[in-house]
Amino acid sequence: MKRTVYLNGQYISENEAKISIFDRSVQFADSVYEVLSILDGKIVDFNGHLLRLDRSLNELNMKDAPSHDEWLIIFRKLISVNSLREGIIYLQITRGESDRDFHYPKSTNPLTVIAFTQEKNLIDHPKIATGISVITVADGRWGRCDIKTTQLLYASMMKMKARAQGADDAWMMRDNIITEGTSNNAAIITHDNELITHNISTAILAGTTRNIMLDLAGEQSLEVTQRAFTLDEALHAREAFVSAASLFVMPVTQIDGNKVGDGCNGHTTLMLRQKYIEWACKTAI
């Protein structure tokens, strides 16, 4: 059954949705996006995602995007017409159509606005039984990782490299510092019960799931430290995990073929995952 998607004010079948070859997302990846979780037909952390979307749009000087109220109507319509109970909603806003030029268009063109749903098992994720394995790779992305743009080719390449090596994903590094995963934030828990994750900077995306997870960790008497950590620290950690809207909190049990801790899902990580799921179910709208 074909999904109904949203494109520029219309709800249409996915096979009818088309954009121009001159859309700047096609020519320059001149676009931003967000991914929101859906549980029991409700939207998780709507405000957190929309506030980050506002920031991305502002950094790229994109004007006249749908308001938060308009997005809520769009999302709820897509959830309803597609009978989505659990999964994600993807939204994308591009600078729109103009003849190819590195400079932004002089006149303000209408933005291209896209949204669609995907069914996914989020709570009973297929990897939660074993956790995931990661390899480490050089972080070759552009310098503004704090803007959630659709420049995702390098991340895709590194995911494919991980798969080719029998791993699930990759953690990226700059000068032996772990920045983040290809599509998630990275964290470790030390033997002293300290949770460490990279501080907010242009080197990482400020994850919405990360933000909530850190609040929940503080409520559980974990010592939370936002700073860069090294590969060696990760290899000697008690636990490691990633956080993302489509993964929640997911244990990392192997790094470059080396076991993290005892090589099993960490108890603290699983506790944080459960706390996040409880928070998400309680606050979803």
Side-chain angles (χ1 to χ4, degrees):
M1 181 178 177
K2 297 294 185 181
R3 288 169 294 185
T4 295
V5 303
Y6 178 89
L7 176 60
N8 295 336
Q10 293 185 305
Y11 299 90
I12 55 179
S13 174
E14 63 180 90
N15 59 345
E16 297 174 355
K18 297 175 176 60
I19 64 171
S20 168
I21 64 169
F22 295 109
D23 192 278
R24 285 183 62 88
S25 64
V26 177
Q27 304 291 344
F28 298 103
D30 190 359
S31 50
V32 299
Y33 76 103
E34 283 288 334
V35 176
L36 296 85
S37 304
I38 306 300
L39 292 178
D40 195 26
K42 296 180 180 180
I43 308 161
V44 176
D45 200 8
F46 174 82
N47 289 332
H49 284 281
L50 269 291
L51 288 172
R52 185 173 63 182
L53 176 65
D54 291 343
R55 182 183 183 279
S56 294
L57 291 167
N58 184 64
E59 290 296 309
L60 296 183
N61 196 31
M62 289 189 189
K63 309 291 186 183
D64 301 322
S67 68
H68 290 199
D69 288 343
E70 290 169 328
W71 274 121
L72 188 57
I73 292 170
I74 292 167
F75 293 162
R76 285 178 168 164
K77 176 74 171 180
L78 288 176
I79 290 169
S80 175
V81 296
N82 291 299
S83 300
L84 181 65
R85 302 307 300 167
E86 186 170 339
I88 65 166
I89 285 182
Y90 175 95
L91 75 87
Q92 181 174 320
I93 301 175
T94 92
R95 203 178 302 275
E97 179 183 350
S98 64
D99 204 3
R100 191 177 189 278
D101 191 333
F102 278 84
H103 296 94
Y104 296 168
K106 290 182 179 179
S107 60
T108 302
N109 293 341
L111 302 176
T112 300
V113 181
I114 299 165
F116 60 82
T117 61
Q118 286 184 331
E119 292 186 0
K120 289 181 180 290
N121 289 328
L122 301 180
I123 293 179
D124 297 324
H125 192 284
K127 279 292 180 179
I128 194 57
T130 60
I132 65 170
S133 59
V134 300
I135 62 170
T136 55
V137 298
D139 192 341
R141 300 171 299 166
W142 77 316
R144 291 302 307 275
C145 301
D146 57 308
I147 308 173
K148 197 170 177 68
T149 73
T150 57
Q151 297 187 58
L152 298 172
L153 181 57
Y154 187 79
S156 178
M157 291 169 64
M158 294 306 100
K159 282 184 181 290
M160 294 304 295
K161 182 175 182 177
R163 178 179 290 182
Q165 295 185 21
D168 298 301
D169 207 342
W171 276 7
M172 294 179 281
M173 296 197 305
R174 297 181 183 179
D175 299 324
N176 201 41
I177 295 296
I178 305 293
T179 50
E180 59 185 342
T182 56
S183 58
N184 44 63
N185 293 122
I188 59 173
I189 299 173
T190 71
H191 292 275
D192 295 325
N193 217 36
E194 180 184 13
L195 190 161
I196 306 174
T197 190
H198 200 294
N199 53 295
I200 296 300
S201 72
T202 56
I204 72 164
L205 181 72
T208 57
T209 305
R210 170 192 181 277
N211 294 341
I212 299 301
M213 177 275 298
L214 291 179
D215 289 341
L216 295 172
E219 293 173 3
Q220 301 304 311
S221 300
L222 277 166
E223 182 180 351
V224 176
T225 302
Q226 297 187 52
R227 65 164 174 84
F229 62 88
T230 66
L231 173 58
D232 187 63
E233 286 181 288
L235 291 173
H236 289 90
R238 189 183 79 210
E239 302 177 31
F241 64 89
V242 296
S243 58
S246 58
L247 295 174
F248 299 159
V249 177
M250 176 65 67
V252 172
T253 53
Q254 283 193 16
I255 302 173
D256 289 334
N258 301 292
K259 291 182 180 179
V260 178
D262 61 5
C264 300
N265 289 343
H267 294 298
T268 305
T269 299
L270 291 179
M271 177 272 292
L272 287 174
R273 177 180 176 84
Q274 184 58 37
K275 292 296 182 183
Y276 182 84
I277 291 171
E278 292 172 2
W279 173 87
C281 291
K282 181 179 179 180
T283 60
I285 61 173

